[in-house]
Amino acid sequence: MPKKSFLNQPDEVFLTRARSVHGQCASHANAWGIDPSRMFAFSKLLTAAERAHAANSVLATRNHVTSTNKKIAFGELKHFLGQLIDWLEGTPSVSDADIDIMGLRPRVRKAREPLPPPVEAPLLIVTRRHDEMTIHVTRLEHGHPTGGVTSRKPYHGFKLRWRFEGETRYNVEVSTRLRITLHFEREDEGKRVELVAAWMNPRLQEGPWSDVITVIAG
């Protein structure tokens, strides 16, 4: 099948693209080994689609018949193009440059570049309720250092490190949401909790860590 965008373009654009493919095929028919009967069918379907489109473009005479004829003609041309383009992409004599000139999908799709590690630190907002503490993270909003954007895009999630003041090792929590809730025992009430967080990309690579904030548990 051709590119999705090729099929979903407006009528005028679609016909322009179809004419481009037809012109290239006609010019290279011998070199690419295109059977004359296939080119004849291509020309016939393209002409039918152009005529049906023209007839349906006149407001004064447009009706259900012209609309139906255009729909059928376009459908037949697109079906033909789907099979032809599959054939072109599977034919060695049609080079990658030829594929590109016709605006078709590349034979080998370029791998999507992986997202690099984040370059900014999140803003932490903490809410407390009885024996639990919820840490919300936001993206810093430019020009508003005390406010944030409530979205994790383009990040995969965030990593939270926390410990009671005086402890040497951090506990680590990971979330793909914008918050993490910590639960404490009754005996932890009143203890000072140190919190620090960093955004992560889909490969779980972390960005810079936020400043450490200290919050009272309970």
Side-chain angles (χ1 to χ4, degrees):
M1 291 293 290
K3 288 182 178 179
K4 182 178 180 180
S5 59
F6 183 86
L7 295 176
N8 293 338
Q9 290 290 339
D11 293 347
E12 291 285 358
V13 178
F14 169 73
L15 286 176
T16 298
R17 295 283 300 277
R19 293 187 194 105
S20 174
V21 175
H22 182 273
Q24 291 296 318
C25 287
S27 299
H28 300 85
N30 291 332
W32 294 350
I34 302 177
D35 189 273
S37 63
R38 172 169 273 173
M39 280 306 306
F40 176 78
F42 192 175
S43 300
K44 183 178 179 180
L45 290 171
L46 178 59
T47 299
E50 290 175 326
R51 290 176 177 173
H53 175 261
N56 194 57
S57 298
V58 181
L59 293 178
T61 58
R62 179 188 299 172
N63 54 43
H64 178 71
V65 173
T66 61
S67 176
T68 299
N69 288 341
K70 193 215 78 168
K71 183 177 181 180
I72 292 174
F74 270 57
E76 291 178 344
L77 177 59
K78 290 179 180 182
H79 178 72
F80 175 87
L81 278 170
Q83 296 180 327
L84 174 65
I85 292 171
D86 282 345
W87 181 85
L88 290 171
E89 292 186 336
T91 302
S93 57
V94 182
S95 68
D96 290 340
D98 295 325
I99 293 293
D100 185 61
I101 289 173
M102 289 185 284
L104 308 180
R105 66 169 185 254
R107 288 187 173 101
V108 179
R109 297 185 180 181
K110 295 181 180 179
R112 180 176 295 179
E113 291 293 329
L115 289 175
V119 297
E120 63 178 350
L123 172 69
L124 277 65
I125 301 173
V126 179
T127 58
R128 296 179 299 166
R129 183 179 179 183
H130 303 302
D131 59 349
E132 67 180 34
M133 179 186 300
T134 300
I135 298 89
H136 302 263
V137 292
T138 68
R139 293 178 55 212
L140 292 175
E141 184 176 11
H142 181 69
H144 298 276
T146 60
V149 180
T150 56
S151 170
R152 62 180 173 82
K153 292 181 179 180
Y155 308 128
H156 178 69
F158 77 101
K159 182 181 293 186
L160 175 74
R161 294 165 57 187
W162 70 274
R163 67 184 179 186
F164 291 114
E165 190 176 60
E167 293 183 339
T168 58
R169 299 184 63 180
Y170 277 101
N171 301 288
V172 179
E173 308 283 346
V174 175
S175 176
T176 56
R177 304 176 69 185
L178 290 172
R179 66 180 183 273
I180 288 176
T181 298
L182 303 178
H183 298 274
F184 299 100
E185 302 297 334
R186 183 178 297 273
E187 57 267 27
D188 295 327
E189 185 175 346
K191 290 183 179 180
R192 295 168 63 86
V193 181
E194 297 176 345
L195 306 162
V196 60
W199 292 114
M200 301 183 305
N201 67 9
R203 292 182 290 171
L204 306 185
Q205 295 174 313
E206 61 198 39
W209 290 90
S210 66
D211 294 333
V212 178
I213 65 172
T214 302
V215 183
I216 304 298

